[in-house]
Amino acid sequence: MRYINRDIIVETVERLCIEANYNIEDDVMEALNNSLRNEISPTGKDVLSQIIENDLIARNDSVPMCQDTGVVIVFLEIGNDVHIDYDIYEAINEGVRNGYNHGYLRKSVVRHPLDRVNTKDNTPAVIHTKLISGDKINLLIAAKGAGSENMSLVKMLTPAEGIEGVKDLVIDTVFNAKGKPCPPIIVGLGLGGTFEKSALLAKEAVMRPINDQSPDPIARKLEKDLLEEINKLGVGPLGFGGTQTALAVKVNVYPCHIASLPVAINIQCHASRHKKITI
Amino acid sequence: MKITTPLTDETIAKLKAGDKVLITGTIYTARDAAHLRLVNLINENKALPFDIKNQIIYYVGPTPAKPGQVIGSAGPTTSYRMDPYAPTLLKHGLRGMIGKGDRNQTVKDAIKKYKAVYFGAVGGAAALISKSIKKVELIAYEDLGAEAIRKLEVVDFPALVVNDIYGNDLIIDNIKKYKVDDKNE
Ligand code: SF4
């Protein structure tokens, strides 16, 4: 058994909330530079240059790259040899509160979806917990903006609709969203499981490194084919027309019922902000 | 093209979808919650907290300013959420809107009818855009926090004309231009 101190959790969450919002990840920056090289639309090129310049300013000046500093999503993996004697969810939320206050980040969470009163400290975070082996805690902290989250959806297809049904749904969703989710986007696709599992798969998919590939051969092919098709839609950077609509498509799969084909599409904007750490 | 606010008939007539503009002058911020309040005031025949005539509203909810900054990061939010309110404001004299993403047909019709312009800014370029904002004054709805109405003095604020008074639409036209139709390959 290894004891992990509450202060370490609070401080780590605070630090990662701020870092995620200020410092664009290297893989995203590289993907944006590739897009700029490949874009043929002059407006699209101009938009991509502004995004890259923006992300460099944010990093150099230690300011948020986007004003929508998002709702905090935490993927928490706890080793079965870890000992904690406090409420870890409270500790995480304390870290979020400190991060959003000390980092001058925007507080974008309301306490109730219908009365819409701001909680003023960006809590609570949305936390997904998993038990793993070992004596460590893995934390993935993401700041997710609403512009791209709002363009996401879950749909229960029939097995007969198959891969064509999945592709059509993704293409329609991306095309109809146009500039709203701030393209170039990352498309996370969750296939299988149940209604709620597919949504989680899609969210896990957008958290993957931008350059990796699915280990599953069917998913891997779908990632490649969909990326090609999406970039033929003409939507382009910020929807002003162009060839660079998506940076990547990530497909995560899970077994499902003989009668179901759950499909979840989670859209991630170019301001893809997440940080991972092992404690 | 450099333009200044408040917008005049002359300026608006010159602006065409696709034009790159640099805006200088006063603009006002408002997003979801503030729009609801503004439209409620209009419906109740009450005075608005600022005169919207010939003005531009920027859809933004900035981050808090760090010490030494006039404003935090301040990029555009998605405009379609303001679609239910925009035609009422246009009818009452608003001439420009800045946001990101496409508008619905009702808003596009109102833009043409009331001779206004919809500008697109680069979503997610919030740190860059905030450099063009020189002065900030909170003028209404402080309780809304980031969603309060602020009066901004901007110099060379970068934007693109998306919808003009002639019915042109940069988004629709340009997407058509870059769409690859497999059947024609
Ligand atoms: S969609 Fe992303 S980049 Fe665009 S405004 Fe929202 S958080 Fe920022």
Side-chain angles (χ1 to χ4, degrees):
Chain A
M1 279 288 187
R2 178 172 160 249
Y3 184 74
I4 296 181
N5 199 299
R6 185 178 188 275
D7 289 351
I8 293 181
I9 302 290
V10 176
E11 281 160 22
T12 307
V13 172
E14 168 175 355
R15 185 165 55 81
L16 294 192
C17 285
I18 296 173
E19 276 179 14
N21 275 294
Y22 291 2
N23 302 333
I24 190 84
E25 292 280 279
D26 290 337
D27 61 339
V28 181
M29 193 42 122
E30 196 187 308
L32 286 168
N33 276 304
N34 282 337
S35 286
L36 176 59
R37 269 193 294 279
N38 295 331
E39 182 55 75
I40 58 170
S41 141
T43 307
K45 270 186 181 298
D46 196 32
V47 167
L48 285 164
S49 308
Q50 287 187 44
I51 291 172
I52 291 167
E53 191 188 343
N54 175 75
D55 293 354
L56 293 174
I57 291 174
R59 201 190 257 171
N60 289 337
D61 296 1
S62 293
V63 294
M65 64 186 88
C66 184
Q67 80 292 335
D68 184 354
T69 52
V71 60
V72 177
I73 303 167
V74 180
F75 284 91
L76 168 68
E77 297 179 335
I78 306 182
N80 53 6
D81 265 332
V82 171
H83 175 57
I84 47 173
D85 57 0
Y86 48 88
D87 184 333
I88 192 160
Y89 300 118
E90 256 180 28
I92 289 173
N93 280 320
E94 191 174 321
V96 170
R97 186 175 302 123
N98 293 346
Y100 276 68
N101 280 327
H102 301 156
Y104 296 87
L105 305 177
R106 199 181 78 186
K107 287 74 178 173
S108 313
V109 175
V110 292
R111 67 176 186 190
H112 187 291
L114 295 177
D115 82 9
R116 309 204 69 84
V117 176
N118 200 300
T119 63
K120 302 229 164 85
D121 61 6
N122 222 51
T123 69
V126 173
I127 305 171
H128 305 292
T129 316
K130 211 184 208 169
L131 197 62
I132 56 171
S133 60
D135 62 358
K136 297 194 165 58
I137 286 180
N138 293 327
L139 273 175
L140 188 150
I141 307 273
K144 188 71 169 76
S148 55
E149 194 74 356
N150 283 350
M151 296 298 117
S152 306
L153 64 85
V154 177
K155 191 155 186 218
M156 305 301 281
L157 297 185
T158 62
E161 287 172 285
I163 194 159
E164 288 311 317
V166 172
K167 280 188 181 173
D168 288 349
L169 188 62
V170 173
I171 295 297
D172 286 353
T173 303
V174 172
F175 188 72
N176 292 334
K178 298 195 178 67
K180 297 183 193 85
C182 291
I185 53 174
I186 299 163
V187 179
L189 186 59
L191 294 181
T194 46
F195 177 75
E196 83 287 5
K197 176 72 179 176
S198 66
L200 198 53
L201 288 170
K203 183 67 77 195
E204 285 166 351
V206 295
M207 299 297 159
R208 283 168 43 194
I210 235 171
N211 297 318
D212 75 348
Q213 289 183 330
S214 168
D216 173 88
I218 302 174
R220 191 160 62 235
K221 181 160 189 318
L222 196 54
E223 289 177 351
K224 187 171 163 280
D225 293 350
L226 275 173
L227 181 60
E228 260 170 41
E229 283 182 41
I230 287 169
N231 285 338
K232 284 182 186 168
L233 289 174
V235 171
L238 260 301
F240 296 135
T243 61
Q244 304 298 305
T245 306
L247 299 173
V249 177
K250 301 286 165 191
V251 182
N252 283 19
V253 292
Y254 195 82
C256 62
H257 192 281
I258 48 173
S260 297
L261 173 47
V263 183
I265 301 168
N266 192 213
I267 307 286
Q268 169 64 55
C269 55
H270 66 77
S272 171
R273 293 156 290 180
H274 46 84
K275 297 278 170 193
K276 214 172 162 175
I277 205 165
T278 300
I279 302 172
Chain B
M1 188 191 310
K2 287 189 185 256
I3 61 169
T4 51
T5 67
L7 294 171
T8 61
D9 289 337
E10 248 183 307
T11 306
I12 287 176
K14 267 193 270 174
L15 296 174
K16 297 250 170 61
D19 287 349
K20 261 180 90 164
V21 294
L22 295 169
I23 304 167
T24 297
T26 301
I27 62 176
Y28 295 87
T29 74
R31 38 174 294 154
D32 310 55
H35 270 78
L36 177 63
R37 291 189 188 180
L38 292 177
V39 167
N40 283 343
L41 287 175
I42 289 177
N43 291 339
E44 291 161 13
N45 279 320
K46 289 186 182 147
L48 297 180
F50 67 100
D51 186 4
I52 61 174
K53 207 153 185 286
N54 299 329
Q55 299 299 341
I56 297 179
I57 287 183
Y58 178 26
Y59 303 147
V60 61
T63 60
K66 277 189 152 183
Q69 284 186 314
V70 292
I71 195 168
S73 296
T77 192
T78 325
S79 306
Y80 79 111
R81 296 195 317 275
M82 270 52 79
D83 284 357
Y85 313 111
T88 307
L89 297 179
L90 292 170
K91 189 178 168 192
H92 286 82
L94 182 73
R95 301 298 287 279
M97 300 159 286
I98 309 171
K100 69 172 164 97
D102 52 330
R103 312 305 302 260
N104 71 18
Q105 197 54 48
T106 314
V107 176
K108 291 183 205 172
D109 292 343
I111 286 171
K112 221 176 141 179
K113 182 168 175 193
Y114 301 114
K115 301 220 177 304
V117 190
Y118 170 51
F119 301 97
V122 176
L128 177 70
I129 290 173
S130 72
K131 295 207 179 286
S132 65
I133 302 170
K134 306 299 178 192
K135 224 175 117 193
V136 179
E137 189 190 335
L138 198 149
I139 58 166
Y141 311 146
E142 193 172 358
D143 60 301
L144 294 179
E147 294 203 61
I149 295 183
R150 293 172 170 84
K151 185 177 170 185
L152 310 181
E153 298 301 330
V154 298
V155 174
D156 291 342
F157 180 106
L160 272 169
V161 177
V162 175
N163 296 102
D164 60 27
I165 57 170
Y166 307 102
N168 298 314
D169 187 325
L170 167 74
I171 294 175
I172 289 187
D173 294 349
N174 257 7
I175 289 180
K176 236 184 252 159
K177 195 159 145 198
Y178 291 101
K179 193 170 163 72
V180 179
D181 198 342
D182 287 329
K183 279 164 261 156
N184 297 338
E185 269 180 4

